[in-house]
Amino acid sequence: TMKSKEKKQLLEKTAGELRIDLRKAQDALGVLLLDKVAGKLKNTSSLTNTRKEIAVIQTMMNRKELV
């Protein structure tokens, strides 16, 4: 899970930087899902953590749109 310091850093980023971070997290989630299906994934909690990271980034993006 993300620490509060990391969340504050996300707030300081521009919308473009957040989109880049979102794309990277989504790509990482795709790789993790493929590894899970192939039976290579040992730490399944990384799936949950990556999903939560994506949700936090999307929340920050929505906050930027409202302001």
Side-chain angles (χ1 to χ4, degrees):
T1 58
M2 297 184 87
K3 296 187 174 32
S4 61
K5 185 186 285 187
E6 293 170 333
K7 290 179 185 178
K8 287 179 184 176
Q9 289 174 344
L10 283 178
L11 272 174
E12 296 170 359
K13 291 187 175 190
T14 64
E17 291 172 329
L18 287 173
R19 276 191 215 97
I20 291 170
D21 288 348
L22 179 63
R23 174 56 57 199
K24 287 180 184 176
Q26 288 172 335
D27 290 345
L29 181 61
V31 170
L32 289 172
L33 288 170
L34 288 174
D35 286 349
K36 181 183 175 197
V37 170
K40 296 179 187 176
L41 188 63
K42 299 269 192 256
N43 183 9
T44 56
S45 66
S46 59
L47 285 169
T48 304
N49 291 339
T50 305
R51 284 191 182 107
K52 286 181 181 180
E53 181 181 343
I54 289 171
V56 169
I57 293 171
Q58 289 175 333
T59 302
M60 297 298 173
M61 290 174 74
N62 287 333
R63 283 186 186 174
K64 295 243 183 228
E65 287 177 13
L66 294 175
V67 173

